[in-house]
Amino acid sequence: MERKNRAAWLVLGLPLALGLAWITHGNGVIQNDPDRNISIPDELTIPMQVQAAFNETHVYFRYRWPANRPHVLHDVLVYQDGEWIKKGGGMPGPNPEGFHEDRVAMMLDDGSVPGFSRYGGYIAIGAGVAGFTSEAPEEVTKSLPGTRIDVTDWASVKSPETLQAQRQAGYFLDLWHWRGHRSNPLNLSDDQWIGEKRGGDSGTSPYTTNWDKEANAPKWMFNPETTGQYALRLDEIPDAQVGPDSPYYLSDNTAVAFDPDHEWKNGDVIPRRYIRQTEGSRSDIKVQSKATWKDGYWDVTLYRQLDTGAPTEDKILENQGLYSAAFAIHRNATGGRWHLVSLPVSLGMGREADLQAVAFSGEQPEWGNNWKEVTLFYPGQVNWPLLISQAHAGAEDIEMGTPVQARHSERQLAIYGIEMEFNDEIISQWRLTLIAGLLTMFGLTIGLLSAFPTRSTRQKGERS
Amino acid sequence: MSGIHHMLVHFPLGFWTLASLMILVGSFSNGRLAEISREAVLPVLVLSLLAAAITIASGFLVWPVEAALSSPLARNHILTALWSLGVFVMLTILVWRAGSNAFDGVRRLVLVVLALTGMSIFATTGTIGGHLVGATTEFSEVLKLFGWDVYNTFYVPIWVVALLVLIGLMCAVAGLLSRRSNSTT
């Protein structure tokens, strides 16, 4: 073969370079980084099943979702060398010792919150929200955009008079919030709302903190007479797993005042929360029968009066009403924003909708197999100010009211949510990749020129 | 500008497809059609570059730069569009330089490799464009089957960036050495 023709084989450098890029793409940037509040779940989407039913007085929601194991312990106090040390609580990703409760939450609206039926929980993620890499210096919870003078400024909360008027006008989301430890042991659910923040309905919450600041010790311990123990033992609850019949929570029936004179041993564990009966509007939602975890699935049914009598804290539901709902779960000992969420679904009370609540007579619904399948996804770090800004190509669509489902799937949103956590790094690496590919082509072109001589060069070559 | 871009994009895709088919016909067949293909491919390539330049420029005006850079799909669309342009610039230069002899001997294989590579990349560009306007195709499922979900930004680790540049550099050096060697013999 002529030497000049050998250069032609350099063209294989292009498929080689592109093949190399293909098999290595997507590596080198995305990784967990607790310092930046980044922890990505192994599964980006999971299925959830929901059913709804109602009778003349109450509405019932049944939720079923996969969880490898139940987490019914929340944060705890562990005795170590004379001190009670807190373990558990929110952190980026799963708590390594398993001390974080499972949860299911549902946001509910009657159409009073513009955008919720189209964008679901995204509208409740404001600037500076806790858990984001750019979280505010103080804890900022979920909130609605209309409660801020400037949506990009988490601190620009509107006046109390305006917020009160918004509340009267129904501008809030009802939040049903079942907590595996902090409500479930007494068959209760927390009852909250989202307005200028995530707050609890008026009344008594299902839990309080088991800590005496002055004594620097717990306030309560297990009642040895009713539970047979003073404390749990850390080495007997690996990954925070307690036996099905083991007393694991403190309440009126299981706790007594803390005894500092008891001979405490290293590894003794006392729950950091005390579970109590809810009162007032906060006591509206309860667990029907008993929440169960079996064969890798949670099965939880919550119920409430259709009309709780608290229209500024709960969404009042009516037969033939059309509402919107969105769901979220915490599992695998995760807390905070490291949850899985759903897009909004329509809820019809005895009428056609994504999720149709079936009318029934009697005390309890008879659930059939008419599940509404919902895909839960990891939302990453995407907030409402970003979505309506110039940095979001779909901002115009939002302005025109195009629903999120029309443009994005749950899987797509999960991928985008993660990429947004590394946006600057990915842009930088993408830019380098783009340029490197073009440089490869440029070098290859120079290399191939000798195999593609001009006519004069060819003639000169032929003469030689 | 979105509508204009959608309209303009037909031109480079049409020219690139035509040029690629002409290269395949010109490389693997004989007769009048092959002859015409070999002779006419250069003007088609030149027109494709003009059309591509205008189309890509219009694409940058569809969204604010900040939005385009923040969207994984848009990033992928930009990357594959510019890489498509790069491959067809290569083809244009080589065909322009060698004229009708560009199809002689092993050179035709160079053109075929580049044409097939270019077709793959611009097909991907078009597919991603479809995603951007909400019209997805099964082709993206094929890409996913081979390891790339188009919703993920296409980027490579820094060592691969270096390797890509090195491959380009080595090809350039090898070609220059070959030229020097040819001119001294």
Side-chain angles (χ1 to χ4, degrees):
Chain A
M1 184 184 295
E2 286 183 63
R3 196 175 290 171
K4 65 188 176 191
N5 282 342
R6 279 189 216 154
W9 294 103
L10 290 175
V11 73
L12 296 179
L14 186 61
L16 173 71
L18 295 178
L20 184 65
W22 186 273
I23 57 177
T24 59
H25 80 269
N27 290 310
V29 174
I30 293 175
Q31 57 188 347
N32 289 338
D33 185 352
D35 291 340
R36 293 168 56 197
N37 287 342
I38 293 173
S39 176
I40 300 159
D42 295 334
E43 288 179 276
L44 298 183
T45 61
I46 66 164
M48 182 189 200
Q49 295 174 303
V50 189
Q51 291 178 310
F54 69 104
N55 59 17
E56 287 181 357
T57 55
H58 288 80
V59 61
Y60 297 74
F61 288 93
R62 183 181 177 196
Y63 315 92
R64 189 169 181 271
W65 71 96
N68 288 337
R69 47 178 62 185
H71 286 274
V72 294
L73 275 172
H74 199 55
D75 46 358
V76 296
L77 300 164
V78 180
Y79 187 78
Q80 188 67 41
D81 300 330
E83 286 185 27
W84 289 94
I85 298 162
K86 180 191 165 191
K87 284 184 183 286
M91 62 187 304
N95 182 284
E97 293 167 301
F99 290 117
H100 209 92
E101 66 186 357
D102 289 337
R103 291 189 258 168
V104 61
M106 176 177 74
M107 290 183 284
L108 197 57
D109 183 45
D110 57 4
S112 303
V113 178
F116 179 74
S117 64
R118 295 190 295 277
Y119 311 111
Y122 279 115
I123 68 161
I125 309 302
V129 75
F132 273 42
T133 299
S134 59
E135 66 182 353
E138 61 184 70
E139 186 180 4
V140 176
T141 57
K142 285 185 170 67
S143 63
L144 295 181
T147 63
R148 298 298 192 272
I149 297 165
D150 173 3
V151 291
T152 64
D153 179 5
W154 59 270
S156 66
V157 182
K158 288 182 178 170
S159 69
E161 295 76 21
T162 303
L163 296 177
Q164 182 61 27
Q166 287 182 349
R167 184 59 66 88
Q168 295 290 342
Y171 187 67
F172 72 96
L173 296 172
D174 194 358
L175 179 63
W176 296 36
H177 196 169
W178 174 86
R179 303 169 184 274
H181 183 83
R182 289 179 289 176
S183 71
N184 183 59
L186 300 186
N187 283 336
L188 301 171
S189 167
D190 207 346
D191 188 359
Q192 298 180 292
W193 48 263
I194 297 167
E196 72 277 16
K197 63 176 183 178
R198 188 185 78 181
D201 285 16
S202 55
T204 305
S205 72
Y207 63 92
T208 186
T209 302
N210 178 25
W211 186 246
D212 185 337
K213 279 184 186 170
E214 288 179 11
N216 211 29
K219 288 179 181 172
W220 297 280
M221 63 180 191
F222 284 103
N223 182 343
E225 290 181 11
T226 58
T227 67
Q229 63 187 11
Y230 285 85
L232 297 166
R233 292 288 305 159
L234 189 60
D235 53 6
E236 291 173 4
I237 49 171
D239 194 32
Q241 295 299 298
V242 290
D245 301 319
S246 167
Y248 63 91
Y249 61 90
L250 300 174
S251 69
D252 288 354
N253 293 332
T254 61
V256 291
F258 179 73
D259 178 5
D261 298 326
H262 177 73
E263 197 172 313
W264 297 103
K265 295 175 187 159
N266 285 349
D268 280 344
V269 176
I270 292 178
R272 191 169 168 271
R273 309 293 177 156
Y274 185 91
I275 319 304
R276 61 190 180 185
Q277 280 299 331
T278 47
E279 291 174 2
S281 178
R282 203 150 179 178
S283 69
D284 290 330
I285 307 168
K286 294 184 171 60
V287 177
Q288 189 213 9
S289 186
K290 198 173 172 73
T292 57
W293 179 90
K294 190 181 174 190
D295 299 332
Y297 283 87
W298 269 112
D299 194 337
V300 178
T301 300
L302 304 179
Y303 71 101
R304 192 202 77 178
Q305 284 190 318
L306 291 166
D307 183 352
T308 61
T312 58
E313 295 184 322
D314 301 313
K315 295 291 177 175
I316 308 305
L317 305 178
E318 292 183 82
N319 185 17
Q320 290 300 306
L322 190 61
Y323 307 90
S324 299
F327 314 98
I329 61 127
H330 285 87
R331 63 175 194 164
N332 299 340
T334 56
R337 75 166 182 83
W338 296 274
H339 53 1
L340 299 168
V341 304
S342 82
L343 292 177
V345 298
S346 59
L347 164 69
M349 301 296 286
R351 60 183 286 185
E352 201 170 315
D354 297 334
L355 171 60
Q356 185 173 340
V358 180
F360 71 97
S361 302
E363 291 297 307
Q364 292 184 6
E366 287 186 18
W367 301 113
N369 270 326
N370 57 332
W371 292 100
K372 166 64 183 170
E373 307 281 342
V374 177
T375 299
L376 301 177
F377 64 97
Y378 172 66
Q381 295 193 43
V382 174
N383 65 18
W384 188 246
L386 168 74
L387 292 175
I388 59 171
S389 75
Q390 281 219 326
H392 178 217
E396 268 185 36
D397 287 329
I398 290 179
E399 208 172 314
M400 289 190 293
T402 309
V404 59
Q405 291 98 329
R407 300 309 304 263
H408 301 300
S409 68
E410 288 88 349
R411 176 171 167 71
Q412 189 181 359
L413 289 168
I415 292 169
Y416 286 5
I418 293 168
E419 291 221 352
M420 195 47 70
E421 303 198 56
F422 302 89
N423 198 38
D424 293 342
E425 296 97 321
I426 287 177
I427 289 175
S428 168
Q429 205 62 26
W430 163 81
R431 215 176 250 143
L432 288 174
T433 302
L434 169 58
I435 293 168
L438 293 175
L439 286 176
T440 306
M441 292 175 200
F442 179 66
L444 201 56
T445 308
I446 293 174
L448 287 169
L449 288 180
S450 65
F452 285 74
T454 57
R455 182 172 295 275
S456 59
T457 312
R458 276 199 309 276
Q459 284 165 348
K460 189 177 165 188
E462 281 161 12
R463 278 197 299 272
S464 68
Chain B
M1 188 51 74
S2 178
I4 301 255
H5 180 68
H6 298 163
M7 184 270 287
L8 287 174
V9 80
H10 291 82
F11 291 93
L13 293 185
F15 284 131
W16 281 342
T17 306
L18 178 60
S20 301
L21 289 175
M22 290 168 88
I23 286 170
L24 293 177
V25 170
S27 299
F28 294 119
S29 66
N30 295 311
R32 182 72 181 135
L33 186 62
E35 196 180 318
I36 291 172
S37 295
R38 287 192 285 268
E39 290 300 323
V41 71
L42 182 60
V44 174
L45 283 168
V46 171
L47 285 172
S48 80
L49 298 190
L50 288 172
I54 294 167
T55 305
I56 290 173
S58 73
F60 279 109
L61 300 176
V62 172
W63 288 330
V65 175
E66 194 184 356
L69 289 181
S70 296
S71 160
L73 267 181
R75 289 194 282 244
N76 292 335
H77 193 53
I78 293 169
L79 180 136
T80 53
L82 290 176
W83 280 8
S84 300
L85 179 62
V87 172
F88 282 93
V89 165
M90 288 179 72
L91 272 169
T92 309
I93 290 172
L94 297 177
V95 173
W96 192 313
R97 185 175 159 89
S100 58
N101 293 312
F103 286 85
D104 290 352
V106 75
R107 282 193 283 271
R108 75 178 62 182
L109 292 179
V110 173
L111 301 186
V112 168
V113 167
L114 291 179
L116 291 177
T117 306
M119 281 174 84
S120 307
I121 303 176
F122 78 67
T124 305
T125 311
T127 297
I128 296 169
H131 278 267
L132 283 167
V133 296
T136 60
T137 71
E138 295 302 313
F139 186 65
S140 52
E141 290 301 314
V142 175
L143 296 173
K144 195 173 171 183
L145 201 64
F146 283 96
W148 182 36
D149 187 332
V150 294
Y151 296 127
N152 289 294
T153 302
F154 193 95
Y155 63 87
V156 297
I158 195 70
W159 65 270
V160 178
V161 168
L163 215 51
L164 294 186
V165 174
L166 191 65
I167 288 172
L169 197 63
M170 285 170 62
C171 288
V173 170
L176 289 173
L177 288 176
S178 175
R179 273 175 88 181
R180 189 171 296 171
S181 169
N182 289 341
S183 62
T184 55
T185 54

